[in-house]
Structure formats: structure tokens, C-alpha cells
Amino acid sequence: MSTPTRVPQEERTRVMRQRLLEATVECLVEVGFARTSTTLVSQRAGVSRGAQLHHFPTKNDLVLAAVGHVTQIRGSDLETAAATMPHGTRRTRAVLQMLGDHFASPVFSAALELWVAARTDPALLAAVGPLEQRVGREVHRLTVELLGIDEEVPGNRELIQATLDLVRGLGLANTISDDTRRRARILDRWADRLDAVLAAQPSSRDHSTKEQP
Amino acid sequence: MSTPTRVPQEERTRVMRQRLLEATVECLVEVGFARTSTTLVSQRAGVSRGAQLHHFPTKNDLVLAAVGHVTQIRGSDLETAAATMPHGTRRTRAVLQMLGDHFASPVFSAALELWVAARTDPALLAAVGPLEQRVGREVHRLTVELLGIDEEVPGNRELIQATLDLVRGLGLANTISDDTRRRARILDRWADRLDAVLAAQPSSRDHSTKEQP
């Protein structure tokens, strides 16, 4: 039997952990992985040092939890954006815009910081590697579904992979200078090419590109 | 009038600076930007602390010089690889292989470390930004030349930009796991698509893709 205070306590814990993880992501975006510290995170979250150390005793604990948090944000951001995609002829370009926006967002910068730190940190890599694979598979599945692509057609799988590697490359280019206009021109053309390739495979796209009634 | 010892002294200085910069790039690749220190670099280069501090008093000095050094290596690596490209039907795939290899090389990891550190370090960004732009323009020019592409044809410029953003994205994916096989499949298909698009523009490719006698 649970005590009357149990649920509020659990809720307080959940909220505090959430604030600490959000502050960690903000620190990663603003000062980078190396300068993100438990002190900076607790200040930013408005959480006492004691409480912060209770939940995440080391930077490593905080960062590993932040990896999961970033993965979750990326997944839910994409699912939310996916729900607003138009049907018809503008759909492909809109899907590319959504992907391009995702890889140019602050949360991509946070993921990039974790990704690059993991390259030379085996413990972090053990956490980042599997989660990045999961995000990668998830984004791939979502893109295939949104574009209504039949992956049984030879070459289609690689075309979607290339599209996702393209937006990842565009995301990286965008981290040190605002690349919005160049990205828009590239995605305009890429959408035309995708549509031209996929137009030769009419059966695979019927359900997703038809105009809504 | 120069003294007899002047040239050897200049040569010794040049060699020592070169060793320090090479050691810096190796440290960036192996331990990352944050853990690269002047101490670690002087140990690795086999150069005394005193001599190292004479040439590069701070990590900042070392890193800014390394940015230039990495840019130079990237340029000359690409020029060297470009000189070996085959002519004829295998050319497009070979050029993509060369670009893919470049963005999967240790020197790309070093550049990535500098790039990501520069994102949250204005002084470093002021050095990295312009040099990255120069490398970007240089790689673009080289790719256009190697593929014999007419950039006056609408869409061709964006096609090359997309190709370079694609290989940059592939390079980033390769930093935390060996992505060689997936990359090869994607580049196989992309070469076919590039050739298909460019085959409709015969005049622009005559000089670069013809078989050698």
C-alpha cells in the first residue's frame, strides 16, 4: 500500500531530473561538451548542488542521461513535425524541410557535441552508439513512410540513406554559419530529383502523395 | 648579407614547427580537442617544453596554427588523389570514392574537432570559419573539374553541393562506427544517378569522361 506522499515525491523527482537534463542539453548547445559541468548545470536548472549530486553524482552520469534525453527529444520532435506534412505535390519538399530543420536545430548541436565527444571517449561511445543507431533507424523508417517509398525497389533504400546523410551534412555545415538559404536551394533541387525518380515507381507512392479530399 | 648559419636555423625552425603541428593534429584525432594540451603535444612531437613554448606560447596559438595546417593537408591530399582519377565510365564512382575517403580520413576527424570546438569559441571560429569556406570552395571547384560539369546548366551547382554535403554527412556517420560498406553502397547508387543526370548534358562532359587513347 502506498503512502499518501509517495506520488508527489515521485513527481517532484521526475520534474527535478527533467530540469537537470534540459539544463544539460542547453549547456551542451551553448558552451559545448568540454565546458559543461555539474556546477554549471545545477546553476542553470536552479537546483541545489546537493539535489543535483543526489540525482547525478558525476558529469558522466549527467551526460549519459542527457544522451537518452536528447534521443527522446529528437524522436518526439520528428514525430510531431511529421504529423503536419501536407499531401500532394508539395509533400516531398515539406518532408525534406522538416528533416533539414531537424538537423539544423539546437538539439542536433547537442547531439553533435555528444557524438564528437564519444569519438574519443569509450564509455560515452558505448551509450551514444546504440542510441544513434536507434535514432537513425527511426528517422529512416519515418522518411520512408512519409514519402511512401517501396524499399523493395532496388536503389530506393540507398536513395533514402543518401537523403539522410545529405541532411546530416547540411546540419554540420550549419553549425558554424547560418546556411539556411543555401540549404533551401539544395533541398528544392533534391526534392525535384526524388520526385522524378519516384514518379517512375507510381504504385509505391499512391497512398502518401494523393491530394486530400 | 646573410650569415652562414641563417638558412640551417630557418630550416630547423620550420621542421620543429612542422613536427609540433603534426603532433597537434594527431592529438586532435586521438584524444579530441578538449584533452589536447601543449604538454601532450610537445611530448608527442619529441620537442622540449621550452622550444614548444617559444614557437606556440599557448594552446590557442597551437590550435590556430593547426587549423591552417589541417586546411593545407586537406587541400594537398585532395589534389594528390585527384591526379589519379581514371577516365571513362568508372570516373564518377572513383571521384565519389576519393571524396568519401577524404571525409572518412583522420584529417577530417581533426577538422571536425576544430569545427565543433569553434561552434562555441568565437576566437577559434574567426580562424576556422574563413578557412572552412576556402576548403569548401576548393573542393567544390575540384569536383566540378573532375566530373567535367557545366555549372551554367540550372541545377548542376546544387547537384555538386548536395554531393559534397552527402559525403560530409557520410564522414560524420563514420566517426563513431566503421561505415565503409554502407557508404560504398550509397556512393555506387549516387554515381549511377549523377551519371544519368549528366548524360542528358553531353556537351559539358566531353573532355573529362572520354576514354584515354
Side-chain angles (χ1 to χ4, degrees):
Chain A
M1 202 181 85
S2 63
T3 64
T5 59
R6 186 159 170 208
V7 172
Q9 176 57 40
E10 276 177 1
E11 177 61 13
R12 278 201 300 279
T13 297
R14 199 193 61 76
V15 168
M16 187 170 287
R17 287 178 65 95
Q18 183 78 3
R19 267 162 64 190
L20 286 165
L21 294 180
E22 278 164 14
T24 305
V25 172
E26 287 166 14
C27 286
L28 288 171
V29 173
E30 287 173 28
V31 302
F33 181 86
R35 280 180 286 160
T36 292
S37 65
T38 53
T39 312
L40 199 62
V41 168
S42 61
Q43 281 168 359
R44 176 144 207 149
V47 166
S48 75
R49 272 297 269 167
Q52 180 254 297
L53 291 171
H54 171 72
H55 290 293
F56 303 104
T58 67
K59 174 172 173 177
N60 208 35
D61 297 319
L62 200 51
V63 165
L64 292 185
V67 171
H69 186 64
V70 165
T71 308
Q72 202 188 322
I73 300 175
R74 290 179 66 186
S76 64
D77 280 2
L78 280 167
E79 289 289 348
T80 305
T84 67
M85 290 299 104
H87 288 256
T89 53
R90 289 167 49 239
R91 187 171 180 89
T92 302
R93 183 64 183 83
V95 170
L96 293 182
Q97 186 68 36
M98 181 199 81
L99 293 170
D101 287 349
H102 175 70
F103 283 92
S105 69
V107 78
F108 173 73
S109 295
L112 181 65
E113 289 287 337
L114 293 169
W115 185 296
V116 170
R119 196 183 67 77
T120 54
D121 180 337
L124 190 55
L125 184 59
V128 169
L131 282 176
E132 274 299 336
Q133 279 201 319
R134 208 178 77 192
V135 175
R137 276 196 302 268
E138 193 53 26
V139 177
H140 186 99
R141 182 199 59 73
L142 189 67
T143 307
V144 165
E145 190 184 302
L146 287 171
L147 295 177
I149 282 171
D150 180 0
E151 288 206 280
E152 299 296 311
V153 176
N156 276 5
R157 186 170 168 71
E158 289 78 10
L159 190 61
I160 294 306
Q161 287 178 321
T163 300
L164 294 173
D165 283 298
L166 166 64
V167 288
R168 190 189 301 116
L170 288 169
L172 182 55
N174 194 65
T175 57
I176 62 170
S177 61
D178 181 359
D179 199 33
T180 310
R181 288 173 57 194
R182 190 184 75 99
R183 183 167 68 248
R185 286 196 303 271
I186 292 172
L187 294 181
D188 283 345
R189 291 290 179 171
W190 192 267
D192 290 345
R193 293 200 195 282
L194 270 181
D195 282 336
V197 169
L198 298 172
Q201 308 163 11
S203 65
S204 68
R205 308 197 81 200
D206 284 352
H207 71 286
S208 71
T209 57
K210 69 167 179 251
E211 299 281 350
Q212 282 188 313
Chain B
M1 201 179 87
S2 62
T3 64
T5 59
R6 185 158 171 211
V7 172
Q9 177 57 39
E10 277 177 359
E11 177 61 13
R12 278 201 301 278
T13 297
R14 199 192 60 76
V15 167
M16 188 171 286
R17 287 178 66 94
Q18 184 78 5
R19 268 164 61 193
L20 286 165
L21 295 180
E22 277 164 14
T24 305
V25 172
E26 288 167 12
C27 286
L28 288 172
V29 173
E30 287 173 27
V31 303
F33 181 86
R35 280 180 286 160
T36 292
S37 65
T38 53
T39 312
L40 198 62
V41 168
S42 61
Q43 281 169 358
R44 175 142 209 153
V47 166
S48 75
R49 270 299 267 168
Q52 180 254 297
L53 290 171
H54 172 72
H55 290 293
F56 303 103
T58 66
K59 174 172 172 177
N60 209 35
D61 298 319
L62 201 52
V63 165
L64 292 185
V67 171
H69 186 64
V70 165
T71 308
Q72 203 187 322
I73 300 175
R74 289 180 65 186
S76 65
D77 280 1
L78 280 167
E79 288 289 347
T80 305
T84 67
M85 290 298 105
H87 288 256
T89 53
R90 289 168 47 241
R91 187 172 179 88
T92 303
R93 182 63 183 84
V95 171
L96 292 183
Q97 185 67 35
M98 182 199 83
L99 293 170
D101 288 348
H102 175 70
F103 283 92
S105 70
V107 77
F108 172 74
S109 295
L112 181 65
E113 289 286 337
L114 293 169
W115 185 296
V116 171
R119 197 183 67 78
T120 54
D121 180 337
L124 191 56
L125 183 59
V128 169
L131 282 175
E132 275 298 337
Q133 280 202 318
R134 208 177 78 192
V135 175
R137 277 196 302 267
E138 194 54 25
V139 178
H140 187 99
R141 184 200 58 73
L142 190 67
T143 306
V144 165
E145 191 184 301
L146 287 171
L147 295 177
I149 282 171
D150 179 0
E151 289 205 280
E152 299 296 310
V153 176
N156 275 6
R157 185 169 169 71
E158 288 79 11
L159 192 62
I160 295 306
Q161 287 178 322
T163 300
L164 295 173
D165 284 298
L166 165 64
V167 288
R168 189 188 303 116
L170 288 169
L172 183 54
N174 195 64
T175 56
I176 62 170
S177 62
D178 180 358
D179 199 34
T180 310
R181 287 173 57 194
R182 191 185 74 100
R183 183 167 68 247
R185 285 196 303 271
I186 292 172
L187 294 181
D188 283 346
R189 290 291 178 170
W190 187 241
D192 290 346
R193 293 201 195 282
L194 270 181
D195 281 335
V197 170
L198 298 171
Q201 308 162 11
S203 65
S204 67
R205 308 197 82 200
D206 284 353
H207 71 286
S208 70
T209 56
K210 70 166 179 250
E211 299 282 350
Q212 283 188 312

